[in-house]
Amino acid sequence: MKDVDIVFGNEKYVSKALHSTQFALKDVGKTSYYRSSYENNTGKRGPASRILTIMIW
């Protein structure tokens, strides 16, 4: 899938560098896409990271 075709939803704010995500058994075999950015104290976001692609197993 091309990066421009990925629709990001379910945005989640995480305040730790390490974060884990739980998936349901029905999601095994699907692909999850992640990108991140830092947000400063005034709410301004930095540039988005490269997209990370993970196969759910």
Side-chain angles (χ1 to χ4, degrees):
M1 180 178 284
K2 295 178 184 177
D3 291 353
V4 296
D5 295 332
I6 299 170
V7 177
F8 286 95
N10 302 328
E11 187 173 281
K12 187 181 291 186
Y13 288 96
V14 178
S15 61
K16 299 177 183 178
L18 299 176
H19 177 76
S20 64
T21 304
Q22 300 291 321
F23 293 96
L25 201 54
K26 65 181 177 135
D27 294 326
V28 171
K30 294 181 180 179
T31 303
S32 183
Y33 301 93
Y34 296 88
R35 69 177 174 191
S36 61
S37 64
Y38 286 100
E39 185 174 305
N40 66 18
N41 292 338
T42 63
K44 185 175 179 183
R45 283 191 179 184
S49 68
R50 290 184 173 178
I51 296 172
L52 177 65
T53 305
I54 302 291
M55 174 69 74
I56 301 169
W57 54 277

